[in-house]
Amino acid sequence: MELREAMRTAGAVRGFTDEPVPDEVLEGVLEAARFAPSGGNQQPWTVLVLRDPRLRDLSQLGWREYVAQRDAGVRPFAPGPDGRWQGPAIDLDAAARTPAPSPFVDHLDQVPVLLVLVVRLTALAVTDVELERHSVVGGASIYPFAQNILLAARDVGLGGTLTTFAVRREPRLAELLRIPADHAIAAVLTLGYPTRQPRRLTRRPVAQFAHLDTFDGPAFGTSTT
Ligand SMILES: Cc1cc2nc3c(=O)[nH]c(=O)nc-3n(C[C@H](O)[C@H](O)[C@H](O)COP(=O)(O)O)c2cc1C
């Protein structure tokens, strides 16, 4: 598949056919993805290829917390204006106890492939580590790899979604999957053959997010759609 076409159409896929993903196809995806960049070329990732239903149950809890915040008009898990987490605006424990049906999360145990992306924290170059705000730079050593997986998957007719709900229960998941203490769970990727392939993604045009020289500088680019 042409690269640009893949980039423009690799939208979140949450519905999958029953067709299994052959191991050699999955290996081919990881083979292509491994050329992702990472700080100092540390390649701090470990991938767990998983079909464990318990992941679904843990993910449901994070999904419920997400939905409850969204329904209360709160941007879920977003830092405040000072760039730091201000504490929950709602009762997250109560939210986790309240069922929130989801055709995606409730069937995570039936997704053909789940990939848990684990990152070795001691290999990260977290250049924003001393800032007062919430740190983001460390993620840059793992999420290009995640996107490479999704693009390589698109290339072979697979679809998927990067999910993070399970990270809300990282200690329990780490115990379940025997992940060492100096590692973190960056994401859980779902993969399979899509029941429906997104073709037109809704994304802001360049002129809405690119500026000349300063944040309040003139828009860079001419496209408005
Ligand atoms: C960092 C990150 C976290 C995400 N977490 C979740 C998630 O936990 N569950 C989920 O269903 N989708 C998740 N997504 C997928 C986004 O919802 C999706 O990329 C976005 O809404 C665009 O959707 P589209 O490709 O269908 O246009 C996540 C995406 C990213 C990049």
Coordinates of all heavy atoms in Angstrom, one line a residue, residues 12-14 16 26 30 45-60 62-63 104-105 107-119 142-143 145-147 149-150 159-174 176-177 179 184-192:
A12 N -9.0 4.3 13.7 CA -9.3 3.4 14.7 C -10.3 2.3 14.3 O -11.4 2.7 13.8 CB -9.8 4.1 16.0
V13 N -9.9 1.1 14.3 CA -10.8 0.0 14.0 C -11.1 -0.8 15.3 O -10.2 -1.2 16.0 CB -10.1 -1.0 13.0 CG1 -11.0 -2.2 12.8 CG2 -9.9 -0.3 11.6
R14 N -12.4 -0.9 15.6 CA -12.8 -1.5 16.8 C -13.7 -2.7 16.6 O -14.2 -3.4 17.5 CB -13.5 -0.5 17.7 CG -12.6 0.7 18.1 CD -13.3 1.5 19.2 NE -12.4 2.6 19.5 CZ -12.4 3.8 18.9 NH1 -13.2 4.0 17.9 NH2 -11.6 4.8 19.3
F16 N -14.0 -6.4 14.4 CA -13.2 -7.3 13.7 C -14.0 -8.6 13.3 O -14.9 -9.0 14.0 CB -12.0 -7.8 14.6 CG -11.2 -6.6 15.1 CD1 -11.4 -6.1 16.4 CD2 -10.3 -6.0 14.3 CE1 -10.7 -5.1 16.9 CE2 -9.5 -4.9 14.8 CZ -9.8 -4.4 16.1
L26 N 1.4 -11.5 11.7 CA 1.7 -10.6 12.9 C 3.2 -10.4 13.0 O 3.7 -9.2 13.3 CB 1.2 -11.3 14.1 CG 1.4 -10.5 15.4 CD1 0.7 -9.1 15.3 CD2 0.8 -11.3 16.6
L30 N 5.3 -6.7 13.0 CA 6.3 -6.3 14.0 C 7.7 -6.1 13.4 O 8.5 -5.3 13.8 CB 6.4 -7.4 15.2 CG 5.1 -7.5 16.0 CD1 5.3 -8.7 17.0 CD2 4.8 -6.2 16.7
W45 N 11.1 -1.2 23.9 CA 9.8 -1.9 23.9 C 10.0 -3.4 24.1 O 10.9 -4.0 23.7 CB 9.1 -1.6 22.6 CG 9.9 -1.7 21.4 CD1 10.3 -2.8 20.7 CD2 10.4 -0.6 20.6 NE1 11.0 -2.5 19.6 CE2 11.1 -1.2 19.5 CE3 10.4 0.8 20.8 CZ2 11.7 -0.4 18.6 CZ3 11.0 1.5 19.8 CH2 11.7 1.0 18.7
T46 N 9.0 -3.9 24.8 CA 8.7 -5.4 24.8 C 7.2 -5.5 24.4 O 6.4 -4.8 24.8 CB 8.9 -6.0 26.2 OG1 10.3 -5.8 26.5 CG2 8.6 -7.5 26.2
V47 N 6.9 -6.5 23.5 CA 5.6 -6.7 23.1 C 5.1 -8.0 23.6 O 5.7 -9.0 23.4 CB 5.5 -6.7 21.5 CG1 4.1 -7.0 21.0 CG2 6.0 -5.4 20.9
L48 N 3.9 -8.0 24.3 CA 3.3 -9.2 24.7 C 2.1 -9.5 23.8 O 1.2 -8.7 23.7 CB 2.8 -9.1 26.2 CG 3.9 -8.6 27.2 CD1 3.3 -8.5 28.6 CD2 5.2 -9.4 27.2
V49 N 2.2 -10.7 23.2 CA 1.1 -11.1 22.3 C 0.1 -11.9 23.1 O 0.5 -12.9 23.6 CB 1.6 -11.9 21.1 CG1 0.5 -12.4 20.2 CG2 2.7 -11.2 20.4
L50 N -1.1 -11.4 23.2 CA -1.9 -11.8 24.3 C -3.3 -12.2 23.9 O -3.9 -11.5 23.0 CB -2.0 -10.6 25.3 CG -2.4 -10.8 26.7 CD1 -1.2 -11.1 27.5 CD2 -3.0 -9.5 27.2
R51 N -3.8 -13.2 24.5 CA -5.3 -13.4 24.3 C -5.9 -13.8 25.7 O -6.4 -14.8 25.9 CB -5.5 -14.6 23.3 CG -5.1 -14.3 21.9 CD -5.2 -15.5 21.0 NE -4.7 -15.2 19.7 CZ -3.5 -15.4 19.3 NH1 -2.6 -15.7 20.2 NH2 -3.1 -15.1 18.1
D52 N -5.7 -12.9 26.6 CA -6.1 -13.1 28.0 C -7.4 -12.3 28.3 O -7.4 -11.1 28.4 CB -5.0 -12.7 28.9 CG -5.2 -13.2 30.3 OD1 -6.4 -13.3 30.7 OD2 -4.3 -13.5 31.0
P53 N -8.5 -13.1 28.6 CA -9.8 -12.4 28.8 C -9.7 -11.4 30.0 O -10.5 -10.5 30.1 CB -10.8 -13.5 29.1 CG -10.1 -14.8 28.6 CD -8.6 -14.5 28.6
R54 N -8.8 -11.7 31.0 CA -8.8 -10.8 32.1 C -8.4 -9.4 31.8 O -8.8 -8.5 32.5 CB -7.8 -11.4 33.2 CG -8.3 -12.6 33.9 CD -7.3 -13.2 34.8 NE -6.2 -13.8 34.0 CZ -5.2 -14.5 34.5 NH1 -5.1 -14.7 35.8 NH2 -4.3 -15.1 33.7
L55 N -7.8 -9.3 30.7 CA -7.5 -7.9 30.2 C -8.8 -7.1 29.9 O -8.9 -6.0 30.2 CB -6.6 -8.0 28.9 CG -6.1 -6.7 28.4 CD1 -4.9 -6.3 29.3 CD2 -5.7 -6.8 27.0
R56 N -9.8 -7.9 29.4 CA -11.0 -7.3 29.2 C -11.6 -6.7 30.4 O -12.1 -5.6 30.5 CB -12.0 -8.3 28.5 CG -13.4 -7.7 28.3 CD -14.5 -8.7 28.1 NE -14.6 -9.5 29.4 CZ -15.3 -10.6 29.5 NH1 -15.9 -11.1 28.4 NH2 -15.4 -11.3 30.6
D57 N -11.6 -7.5 31.5 CA -12.3 -7.1 32.7 C -11.6 -5.9 33.3 O -12.2 -4.9 33.8 CB -12.2 -8.3 33.8 CG -13.0 -9.5 33.2 OD1 -13.7 -9.3 32.2 OD2 -12.8 -10.6 33.8
L58 N -10.2 -5.9 33.3 CA -9.5 -4.7 33.8 C -9.8 -3.5 32.9 O -9.9 -2.3 33.4 CB -8.0 -5.0 33.8 CG -7.6 -6.0 34.9 CD1 -6.1 -6.3 34.8 CD2 -8.0 -5.5 36.3
S59 N -9.9 -3.7 31.6 CA -10.1 -2.6 30.7 C -11.5 -2.0 30.9 O -11.7 -0.8 30.8 CB -10.0 -3.0 29.2 OG -8.7 -3.4 29.0
Q60 N -12.4 -2.8 31.2 CA -13.8 -2.3 31.5 C -13.8 -1.3 32.6 O -14.5 -0.3 32.5 CB -14.7 -3.5 31.8 CG -15.2 -4.2 30.6 CD -16.0 -5.5 31.0 OE1 -15.7 -6.1 32.0 NE2 -17.0 -5.8 30.2
G62 N -11.4 0.8 33.5 CA -10.9 2.1 32.9 C -11.9 2.7 32.0 O -12.0 4.0 32.0
W63 N -12.6 1.9 31.2 CA -13.6 2.5 30.3 C -14.7 3.2 31.1 O -15.2 4.2 30.8 CB -14.1 1.3 29.4 CG -15.4 1.6 28.7 CD1 -16.6 1.0 29.0 CD2 -15.7 2.6 27.7 NE1 -17.6 1.5 28.1 CE2 -17.0 2.5 27.3 CE3 -14.9 3.5 27.0 CZ2 -17.6 3.3 26.3 CZ3 -15.4 4.3 26.0 CH2 -16.8 4.1 25.7
F104 N -17.1 -2.5 22.1 CA -15.7 -2.7 21.8 C -15.0 -3.4 23.1 O -14.6 -4.5 23.1 CB -15.0 -1.4 21.5 CG -13.5 -1.5 21.3 CD1 -13.0 -2.4 20.5 CD2 -12.7 -0.6 22.0 CE1 -11.6 -2.4 20.3 CE2 -11.3 -0.6 21.8 CZ -10.8 -1.5 20.9
V105 N -15.1 -2.6 24.2 CA -14.4 -3.1 25.4 C -15.0 -4.4 26.0 O -14.2 -5.3 26.4 CB -14.5 -2.0 26.5 CG1 -13.7 -2.4 27.7 CG2 -14.0 -0.7 26.0
H107 N -16.0 -6.8 24.4 CA -15.6 -8.0 23.6 C -14.1 -8.0 23.4 O -13.6 -8.7 22.4 CB -16.4 -8.0 22.3 CG -17.8 -8.1 22.5 ND1 -18.7 -7.0 22.4 CD2 -18.6 -9.1 22.9 CE1 -19.9 -7.4 22.8 NE2 -19.9 -8.7 23.0
L108 N -13.3 -7.4 24.2 CA -11.9 -7.4 24.0 C -11.3 -8.8 24.0 O -10.3 -9.1 23.5 CB -11.2 -6.6 25.1 CG -11.0 -5.1 24.9 CD1 -10.3 -4.5 26.0 CD2 -10.4 -4.8 23.6
D109 N -12.0 -9.7 24.7 CA -11.5 -11.1 24.8 C -11.7 -11.8 23.5 O -11.2 -12.9 23.3 CB -12.3 -11.9 25.9 CG -13.8 -11.8 25.8 OD1 -14.3 -10.8 25.3 OD2 -14.4 -12.7 26.3
Q110 N -12.5 -11.2 22.6 CA -12.7 -11.9 21.3 C -11.9 -11.2 20.1 O -12.0 -11.6 19.0 CB -14.2 -11.8 20.9 CG -15.0 -12.8 21.8 CD -16.5 -12.4 21.9 OE1 -17.1 -11.9 21.0 NE2 -17.0 -12.5 23.1
V111 N -11.2 -10.2 20.5 CA -10.4 -9.5 19.5 C -9.3 -10.5 19.0 O -8.7 -11.1 19.9 CB -9.8 -8.2 20.0 CG1 -8.7 -7.7 19.1 CG2 -10.9 -7.2 20.3
P112 N -9.0 -10.6 17.7 CA -8.1 -11.7 17.3 C -6.7 -11.5 17.9 O -6.1 -12.5 18.3 CB -8.0 -11.4 15.8 CG -9.4 -10.9 15.4 CD -9.8 -10.0 16.6
V113 N -6.2 -10.3 18.0 CA -4.9 -10.2 18.6 C -4.9 -8.9 19.5 O -5.3 -7.9 19.2 CB -3.8 -9.9 17.5 CG1 -2.4 -9.7 18.2 CG2 -3.7 -11.1 16.6
L114 N -4.3 -9.1 20.7 CA -4.1 -8.0 21.6 C -2.6 -7.9 21.9 O -1.9 -8.9 22.2 CB -4.7 -8.2 23.0 CG -6.3 -8.2 23.0 CD1 -6.8 -8.5 24.4 CD2 -6.8 -6.8 22.6
L115 N -2.0 -6.7 21.6 CA -0.6 -6.6 21.9 C -0.4 -5.6 23.0 O -0.9 -4.5 23.0 CB 0.1 -5.9 20.6 CG 0.0 -6.7 19.3 CD1 0.8 -6.0 18.2 CD2 0.6 -8.1 19.5
V116 N 0.2 -6.0 24.1 CA 0.5 -5.2 25.2 C 1.9 -4.6 25.0 O 2.9 -5.3 24.8 CB 0.5 -5.9 26.5 CG1 0.8 -5.0 27.7 CG2 -0.9 -6.6 26.8
L117 N 2.0 -3.3 24.8 CA 3.3 -2.6 24.6 C 3.9 -2.2 26.0 O 3.3 -1.4 26.7 CB 3.1 -1.4 23.7 CG 2.5 -1.6 22.3 CD1 2.8 -0.4 21.4 CD2 3.1 -2.8 21.7
V118 N 5.0 -2.8 26.3 CA 5.6 -2.6 27.5 C 6.9 -1.8 27.3 O 7.6 -2.0 26.3 CB 6.0 -3.9 28.2 CG1 6.7 -3.7 29.5 CG2 4.7 -4.7 28.4
V119 N 7.2 -0.8 28.1 CA 8.4 0.0 27.9 C 9.3 0.0 29.1 O 8.8 0.1 30.3 CB 7.9 1.5 27.5 CG1 7.1 2.1 28.6 CG2 9.1 2.3 27.2
I142 N 8.2 5.3 22.6 CA 7.4 4.1 22.4 C 6.2 4.3 21.4 O 5.9 3.4 20.7 CB 6.9 3.5 23.8 CG1 6.1 2.2 23.6 CG2 6.1 4.5 24.6 CD1 6.9 1.0 23.5
Y143 N 5.6 5.5 21.4 CA 4.4 5.7 20.6 C 4.7 5.7 19.1 O 3.8 5.3 18.3 CB 3.6 6.8 21.1 CG 3.0 6.5 22.4 CD1 3.4 7.3 23.6 CD2 2.1 5.5 22.6 CE1 2.9 6.9 24.8 CE2 1.7 5.1 23.9 CZ 2.0 5.9 25.0 OH 1.5 5.5 26.2
F145 N 6.7 3.6 17.7 CA 6.6 2.2 17.5 C 5.2 1.7 17.4 O 4.8 0.9 16.5 CB 7.4 1.5 18.6 CG 7.4 0.0 18.6 CD1 8.0 -0.7 17.6 CD2 6.8 -0.7 19.6 CE1 7.9 -2.1 17.5 CE2 6.7 -2.1 19.6 CZ 7.3 -2.8 18.6
A146 N 4.4 2.2 18.3 CA 2.9 1.8 18.2 C 2.3 2.2 16.9 O 1.6 1.4 16.3 CB 2.2 2.5 19.4
Q147 N 2.6 3.4 16.5 CA 2.0 3.9 15.2 C 2.5 3.1 14.0 O 1.8 2.8 13.1 CB 2.2 5.4 15.0 CG 1.6 6.0 13.8 CD 0.1 5.9 13.7 OE1 -0.6 5.5 14.7 NE2 -0.5 6.2 12.6
I149 N 3.3 0.0 14.1 CA 2.5 -1.3 14.1 C 1.2 -1.1 13.4 O 0.8 -1.9 12.6 CB 2.3 -1.8 15.6 CG1 3.7 -2.2 16.2 CG2 1.3 -2.9 15.6 CD1 3.6 -2.6 17.6
L150 N 0.5 0.0 13.8 CA -0.8 0.3 13.2 C -0.7 0.5 11.6 O -1.5 0.0 10.9 CB -1.5 1.4 13.9 CG -1.9 1.2 15.3 CD1 -2.4 2.4 16.0 CD2 -2.9 0.1 15.4
G159 N -6.6 -4.0 10.8 CA -7.0 -2.7 11.4 C -6.8 -2.9 12.9 O -6.6 -4.0 13.4
G160 N -6.8 -1.7 13.6 CA -6.6 -1.8 15.0 C -6.8 -0.5 15.7 O -7.0 0.6 15.0
T161 N -6.6 -0.5 17.0 CA -6.8 0.7 17.8 C -5.8 0.7 18.9 O -5.5 -0.4 19.5 CB -8.2 0.9 18.4 OG1 -9.1 0.9 17.4 CG2 -8.3 2.1 19.3
L162 N -5.2 1.8 19.2 CA -4.3 2.0 20.4 C -5.2 2.3 21.6 O -6.0 3.2 21.5 CB -3.4 3.1 20.2 CG -2.2 3.4 21.2 CD1 -1.1 4.1 20.5 CD2 -2.7 4.1 22.4
T163 N -5.2 1.4 22.6 CA -6.0 1.7 23.8 C -5.2 1.9 25.0 O -4.1 1.3 25.1 CB -7.1 0.6 24.0 OG1 -6.4 -0.6 24.6 CG2 -7.8 0.2 22.8
T164 N -5.7 2.6 26.0 CA -5.0 2.8 27.2 C -5.8 2.6 28.5 O -5.3 2.8 29.6 CB -4.5 4.3 27.2 OG1 -5.6 5.1 26.9 CG2 -3.4 4.5 26.2
F165 N -7.0 2.1 28.3 CA -7.9 1.9 29.5 C -7.2 0.9 30.5 O -7.3 1.2 31.7 CB -9.2 1.2 29.0 CG -10.0 2.0 28.1 CD1 -10.6 1.5 27.0 CD2 -10.3 3.3 28.4 CE1 -11.4 2.2 26.1 CE2 -11.0 4.1 27.6 CZ -11.6 3.5 26.4
A166 N -6.5 -0.1 30.0 CA -6.0 -1.1 30.9 C -4.9 -0.5 31.8 O -4.7 -1.0 32.9 CB -5.4 -2.3 30.1
V167 N -4.3 0.6 31.4 CA -3.2 1.2 32.1 C -3.7 1.7 33.5 O -2.9 1.8 34.4 CB -2.5 2.3 31.3 CG1 -1.3 2.9 32.1 CG2 -2.0 1.7 30.0
R168 N -5.0 2.0 33.5 CA -5.6 2.4 34.8 C -5.4 1.4 35.9 O -5.4 1.7 37.1 CB -7.1 2.7 34.6 CG -7.4 4.0 33.8 CD -7.1 5.2 34.6 NE -7.9 5.3 35.8 CZ -7.5 6.1 36.8 NH1 -6.5 6.8 36.7 NH2 -8.3 6.1 37.9
R169 N -5.2 0.1 35.5 CA -5.0 -0.9 36.5 C -3.6 -1.6 36.3 O -3.5 -2.8 36.3 CB -6.1 -2.0 36.3 CG -7.5 -1.5 36.6 CD -7.7 -1.1 38.0 NE -9.1 -0.6 38.3 CZ -9.5 0.7 38.0 NH1 -8.7 1.5 37.4 NH2 -10.7 1.0 38.4
E170 N -2.7 -0.7 36.0 CA -1.3 -1.2 35.7 C -0.7 -2.2 36.7 O -0.2 -3.2 36.3 CB -0.3 -0.1 35.4 CG 1.0 -0.6 35.0 CD 2.0 0.5 34.7 OE1 2.6 1.1 35.6 OE2 2.2 0.8 33.5
P171 N -0.8 -1.9 38.0 CA -0.2 -2.8 39.0 C -0.8 -4.2 38.9 O -0.1 -5.2 38.9 CB -0.5 -2.2 40.3 CG -0.7 -0.8 40.0 CD -1.3 -0.7 38.7
R172 N -2.1 -4.3 38.7 CA -2.7 -5.7 38.6 C -2.3 -6.4 37.3 O -2.1 -7.6 37.3 CB -4.2 -5.5 38.7 CG -4.7 -5.5 40.2 CD -6.0 -4.8 40.4 NE -7.1 -5.6 39.9 CZ -8.4 -5.2 40.0 NH1 -8.6 -4.0 40.5 NH2 -9.3 -6.0 39.6
L173 N -2.3 -5.6 36.2 CA -2.0 -6.1 34.9 C -0.5 -6.6 34.9 O -0.2 -7.6 34.4 CB -2.2 -5.1 33.9 CG -2.4 -5.6 32.4 CD1 -3.4 -6.7 32.3 CD2 -2.8 -4.4 31.5
A174 N 0.3 -5.8 35.5 CA 1.8 -6.1 35.5 C 2.0 -7.4 36.3 O 2.8 -8.2 35.9 CB 2.5 -5.0 36.2
L176 N -0.2 -9.8 36.7 CA -0.8 -10.9 35.8 C 0.1 -11.3 34.7 O 0.3 -12.5 34.4 CB -2.1 -10.3 35.2 CG -3.3 -11.2 34.9 CD1 -3.8 -11.8 36.1 CD2 -4.3 -10.3 34.3
L177 N 0.8 -10.3 34.1 CA 1.6 -10.6 32.9 C 3.1 -10.7 33.3 O 4.0 -10.8 32.4 CB 1.4 -9.5 31.9 CG 0.0 -9.3 31.4 CD1 -0.2 -8.1 30.5 CD2 -0.6 -10.5 30.8
I179 N 5.2 -8.5 34.5 CA 6.0 -7.4 33.9 C 6.9 -6.8 35.1 O 6.4 -6.5 36.2 CB 5.1 -6.3 33.4 CG1 4.3 -6.8 32.2 CG2 5.9 -5.0 33.0 CD1 3.2 -5.9 31.7
A184 N 6.8 -0.1 32.3 CA 5.4 0.4 32.3 C 4.6 -0.1 31.1 O 5.2 -0.5 30.1 CB 5.5 1.9 32.3
I185 N 3.3 -0.1 31.3 CA 2.5 -0.5 30.1 C 2.1 0.8 29.4 O 1.5 1.7 29.9 CB 1.2 -1.2 30.6 CG1 1.6 -2.5 31.3 CG2 0.3 -1.5 29.4 CD1 0.5 -3.2 32.1
A186 N 2.5 0.9 28.1 CA 2.3 2.1 27.3 C 0.9 2.0 26.6 O 0.2 3.1 26.5 CB 3.4 2.3 26.3
A187 N 0.5 0.9 26.2 CA -0.7 0.8 25.5 C -1.1 -0.7 25.3 O -0.2 -1.6 25.4 CB -0.6 1.4 24.1
V188 N -2.3 -0.9 24.9 CA -2.8 -2.2 24.4 C -3.3 -2.0 23.0 O -4.2 -1.2 22.9 CB -3.9 -2.8 25.3 CG1 -4.3 -4.2 24.8 CG2 -3.3 -3.0 26.8
L189 N -2.7 -2.6 22.1 CA -3.2 -2.5 20.7 C -4.1 -3.7 20.3 O -3.8 -4.8 20.6 CB -2.0 -2.5 19.7 CG -0.9 -1.4 19.8 CD1 0.0 -1.5 18.6 CD2 -1.5 -0.1 20.0
T190 N -5.2 -3.4 19.7 CA -6.1 -4.4 19.2 C -5.8 -4.6 17.7 O -5.6 -3.6 17.0 CB -7.6 -4.0 19.4 OG1 -7.8 -2.8 18.7 CG2 -7.9 -3.8 20.9
L191 N -5.8 -5.8 17.2 CA -5.5 -6.0 15.8 C -6.4 -7.1 15.3 O -6.7 -8.1 16.0 CB -4.1 -6.4 15.5 CG -3.0 -5.4 15.6 CD1 -1.7 -6.0 15.3 CD2 -3.2 -4.2 14.7
G192 N -6.9 -6.9 14.1 CA -7.7 -8.0 13.4 C -8.1 -7.5 12.0 O -7.7 -6.4 11.6

